[in-house]
Amino acid sequence: MSTQLSHNELAPKQPIKKPKLKSRVRRNLTGYFFIGPFVIGFLSFTIIPIIASLYFSFTKYDLFSSPEWIGLDNFQKMFSDDPRYLHSLKITFIYVFGGVPLRLGFALLVAMLLNTASRAVGLYRTMYYLPSLIGGSVAVAIMWRNIFGDDGIINIALMGLGADAVRWFGNPTAALWMLIFLSIWQFGSSMLIFLAGLKSIPKTYYEAASVDGANFWQKFVKITVPMLSPVILFNAIMQTIAAFMTFVPAFIISKGTGGPLDGTLLYSLYLFKQGFEYFNMGYASAMAWIMLIIIAILTSVIFASSRFWVHYESEGGR
Amino acid sequence: MGKSKVRYILYHVLVGGFAILLLYPVIWLLMSSFKVSNEIFITAESLIPMPFTFENYPQGWKGFGGYSFGVFIKNTVIFVAFMLIGHLISCSLIAFGFARLKFIGRGFWFAIMIATLMLPYEVVMIPQYIIFAKLEWLNSLKPLVVPAFFGHPFFIFLLVQFIRTIPRELDEAATIDGCSTFGIYRRIILPLITPALATTAIFTFYWTWDNLLGPVLYLNSPEKYTVSMALNMFLSNETVSNWGAMFAMSIVTLIPVFVIFFIFQRYVVEGISTSGLKG
């Protein structure tokens, strides 16, 4: 402090040449002091495991003996010699593309219904959000398992409506839909995001459209959807990734088996079983890499498609 | 007048009725936990427990393997506490660094952080397991909580966004007053980002409380089980007449989630609407 003061007194006209370099070093050190935990954590818990995982995916490894290099065999086996893998991939796609659009559709519909000035909206918002709040828990998966049981309330409701009871655990397709219904049931968090998006659309747009004689559907297609499209894009990407990695409900509802007849053997569950039940660590690592590639492709396809339907305002929006 | 009144009633019947329909399974679970175990599915169509019994709660609380449910709750609370300390300290430090300091490689590391947001856990799951096995950390909380002290990309991002809304003039004024960089973090930024820290804490609680995959991988003796693991064990040991106890303990594990939500509702709703945190 005092040296800096005297320096300034001596040469007030040409300040900070030397201190600049020093302060730059210092500034960098300070920066890395703060983000240091992230850098260390990233190197040790992310990048090293990623490299290790890539290596394991080319090996046969059971955790107890050392990994044995087998080249592309794991990947070859997946797509030509493991019908369970292809089945698991197929039902995961059904789960993702059946669940996510329905979930987002519901979320948007309910958000539009709740985007009014009614005083009860706060209560409704909470009620619709609750399933999403508790949806990831084991308790809810247990509940879901039981309401879809042979004597569960879903079958009671179905019979009350005059339909036939469904043996949800006796039929792989029904069991998969039970999982999809659970995913749709949790539309609440997307609904909150849509609701925030809807609130940010200026009311004047709708008023102007009404003056021009636009009906509800025209307003929806020409104002709501374009204005909300960045939020829809964000939701679609996040929900697709999350759905692809779904584990807990499949694990609990099938009691860890993926049954009946592998009907609920979602990708993550099969990967878990390969790794920690059959101890095929190499194979499971290879599966994880294919998962990463699929998620990357899905994300970029959604992104690429966005230029045809996502509308960014010069200001506002997201 | 008449027409708008009809619309009003119709709206509330539709929206309210659908909300109740959605929550019906949870209400059913709650009411069934007060039914005699072997009657739950015989009287599944009725919500009212006849006779009303509280028996399932002490029954379930006994737990298994000689460990009561209290032990599992205690374990989970410890787990949550470590995760909270880890996330709050590390994420706020890291976020401050990204949002306020200029240093070489900031853009690079920020991009890396965003990229890890998208990385499926499955990719690192197996090597991490092997690393933790080599460190002899298996069957302890360490593999689950130590990474929390190195930040979590979701919360770092959330906090960065929040810090960016705080005027830089505050930092500058503090610097002129002789405040160090750490002082600015500690005295200026930290007090101002409490809403975002609250959101971080709440979601850390939810994710930790619900975490099943982590405990399934790393905890294998019953005295260390978390509540989600314990419920999973209940299910595996499920006997014909044990539903009541299992439902009762399911309700017990949901109570803290509801309580936290109703106390901090504003932070939860804001956290989701502004950053898309998955609840």
Side-chain angles (χ1 to χ4, degrees):
Chain A
M1 203 65 181
S2 64
T3 54
Q4 203 186 350
L5 210 69
S6 62
H7 176 84
N8 280 347
E9 271 165 20
L10 286 174
K13 282 275 159 163
Q14 43 139 256
I16 48 174
K17 199 102 206 211
K18 248 191 170 175
K20 204 176 177 185
L21 180 75
K22 222 175 167 182
S23 80
R24 233 155 84 198
V25 171
R26 221 185 131 152
R27 210 170 57 192
N28 277 305
L29 284 178
T30 319
Y32 278 94
F33 166 78
F34 279 93
I35 71 153
F38 172 73
V39 175
I40 297 166
F42 174 75
L43 295 177
S44 41
F45 300 122
T46 306
I47 200 72
I48 292 174
I50 286 180
I51 295 166
S53 162
L54 188 60
Y55 167 70
F56 290 145
S57 70
F58 297 107
T59 66
K60 189 173 160 57
Y61 183 35
D62 64 3
L63 199 60
F64 307 108
S65 45
S66 52
E68 176 195 337
W69 184 268
I70 52 167
L72 288 169
D73 282 10
N74 284 329
F75 297 96
Q76 210 165 22
K77 186 183 167 202
M78 256 181 248
F79 292 102
S80 59
D81 205 19
D82 185 1
R84 258 187 118 188
Y85 173 80
L86 291 177
H87 169 79
S88 164
L89 193 60
K90 188 183 100 188
I91 66 161
T92 308
F93 272 107
I94 297 173
Y95 177 79
V96 173
F97 293 112
V100 174
L102 284 171
R103 183 167 162 160
L104 292 182
F106 257 110
L108 183 55
L109 182 75
V110 173
M112 285 170 62
L113 280 172
L114 294 188
N115 188 29
T116 64
S118 168
R119 278 172 62 193
V121 161
L123 175 69
Y124 291 146
R125 193 182 61 181
T126 302
M127 291 171 82
Y128 284 112
Y129 174 62
L130 283 182
S132 206
L133 175 76
I134 57 176
S137 66
V138 176
V140 161
I142 287 178
M143 175 193 89
W144 211 254
R145 202 187 135 75
N146 283 291
I147 65 171
F148 279 89
D150 287 348
D151 320 315
I153 53 175
I154 298 295
N155 274 344
I156 292 172
L158 281 176
M159 287 190 290
L161 294 169
D164 286 331
V166 177
R167 293 201 54 228
W168 298 95
F169 289 93
N171 170 343
T173 313
L176 179 60
W177 276 93
M178 177 167 65
L179 286 182
I180 295 175
F181 291 140
L182 177 57
S183 147
I184 299 169
W185 185 65
Q186 299 165 37
F187 64 82
S189 54
S190 303
M191 176 210 68
L192 287 181
I193 302 174
F194 285 145
L195 198 54
L198 287 173
K199 288 224 161 76
S200 70
I201 303 177
K203 291 254 185 316
T204 48
Y205 289 16
Y206 292 104
E207 285 158 13
S210 297
V211 171
D212 291 346
N215 61 27
F216 172 81
W217 181 248
Q218 285 169 322
K219 282 191 258 183
F220 176 73
V221 173
K222 302 274 183 191
I223 302 174
T224 311
V225 171
M227 290 296 291
L228 214 53
S229 54
V231 186
I232 297 176
L233 172 69
F234 172 80
N235 257 313
I237 290 174
M238 298 312 283
Q239 302 283 341
T240 303
I241 295 176
F244 210 91
M245 304 193 307
T246 303
F247 174 79
V248 173
F251 183 77
I252 294 293
I253 285 174
S254 69
K255 288 194 182 185
T257 62
L261 294 172
D262 290 343
T264 59
L265 190 69
L266 293 184
Y267 202 101
S268 286
L269 181 56
Y270 188 45
L271 194 158
F272 173 84
K273 285 166 81 74
Q274 279 292 349
F276 295 95
E277 210 175 295
Y278 316 136
F279 293 103
N280 294 324
M281 295 287 183
Y283 193 65
S285 299
M287 280 184 68
W289 275 89
I290 297 294
M291 180 183 202
L292 181 65
I293 292 167
I294 291 173
I295 288 177
I297 292 173
L298 284 180
T299 311
S300 27
V301 166
I302 300 175
F303 254 121
S305 78
S306 72
R307 44 186 284 243
F308 301 109
W309 60 275
V310 174
H311 167 90
Y312 289 101
E313 279 207 302
S314 50
E315 51 178 85
R318 268 186 93 84
Chain B
M1 187 67 191
K3 202 180 166 193
S4 79
K5 190 131 196 179
V6 169
R7 274 187 63 154
Y8 173 86
I9 292 169
L10 207 67
Y11 173 82
H12 286 284
V13 167
L14 187 79
V15 175
F18 188 56
I20 291 169
L21 192 69
L22 275 182
L23 292 179
Y24 189 84
V26 184
I27 301 166
W28 179 83
L29 180 76
L30 175 68
M31 298 318 274
S32 297
S33 75
F34 296 114
K35 288 180 180 175
V36 178
S37 263
N38 52 21
E39 283 185 9
I40 288 175
F41 287 100
I42 299 170
T43 62
E45 70 284 350
S46 149
L47 271 188
I48 318 292
M50 284 285 250
F52 182 96
T53 171
F54 205 71
E55 201 38 46
N56 295 320
Y57 283 82
Q59 185 78 37
W61 192 263
K62 270 193 249 160
F64 49 82
Y67 299 99
S68 83
F69 219 78
V71 173
F72 307 136
I73 289 181
K74 191 196 81 194
N75 292 340
T76 318
V77 169
I78 295 171
F79 183 20
V80 169
F82 275 113
M83 294 298 288
L84 282 178
I85 297 168
H87 276 168
L88 289 177
I89 296 175
S90 64
C91 296
S92 62
L93 279 171
I94 297 163
F96 176 79
F98 278 130
R100 279 303 206 251
L101 304 176
K102 284 209 182 77
F103 51 88
I104 299 164
R106 180 175 73 164
F108 170 76
W109 287 112
F110 194 73
I112 291 276
M113 193 205 68
I114 297 297
T116 57
L117 265 178
M118 304 275 184
L119 187 75
Y121 175 63
E122 279 77 358
V123 175
V124 294
M125 177 171 79
I126 288 168
Q128 272 191 7
Y129 183 86
I130 294 163
I131 292 170
F132 293 134
K134 292 254 151 70
L135 291 171
E136 298 190 354
W137 281 7
L138 297 190
N139 200 19
S140 83
L141 271 183
K142 278 185 253 172
L144 302 171
V145 300
V146 169
F149 287 81
F150 297 90
H152 185 290
F154 245 126
F155 300 128
I156 298 171
F157 184 64
L158 176 90
L159 292 166
V160 166
Q161 297 292 80
F162 201 88
I163 294 172
R164 281 181 181 158
T165 64
I166 298 169
R168 271 178 188 275
E169 285 76 21
L170 289 177
D171 302 23
E172 284 154 17
T175 313
I176 291 165
D177 290 345
C179 203
S180 66
T181 310
F182 189 80
I184 294 171
Y185 158 76
R186 173 75 191 71
R187 290 170 202 284
I188 310 284
I189 299 297
L190 219 45
L192 287 173
I193 60 170
T194 39
L197 289 176
T199 308
T200 302
I202 293 162
F203 280 91
T204 297
F205 164 77
Y206 285 148
W207 295 350
T208 310
W209 192 262
D210 284 349
N211 188 349
L212 177 70
L213 184 53
V216 163
L217 283 176
Y218 290 111
L219 305 177
N220 33 42
S221 47
E223 84 265 16
K224 290 176 178 153
Y225 280 177
T226 60
V227 286
S228 56
M229 263 305 261
L231 281 182
N232 181 38
M233 287 316 282
F234 256 109
L235 189 66
S236 329
N237 301 339
E238 188 183 44
T239 52
V240 187
S241 58
N242 215 7
W243 288 308
M246 187 167 73
F247 286 7
M249 290 307 103
S250 298
I251 292 291
V252 166
T253 66
L254 290 178
I255 289 170
V257 177
F258 281 121
V259 170
I260 300 273
F261 175 72
F262 285 111
I263 299 174
F264 300 106
Q265 202 179 130
R266 190 165 66 92
Y267 297 113
V268 178
V269 172
E270 256 165 38
I272 295 167
S273 337
T274 57
S275 66
L277 282 170
K278 207 181 108 43

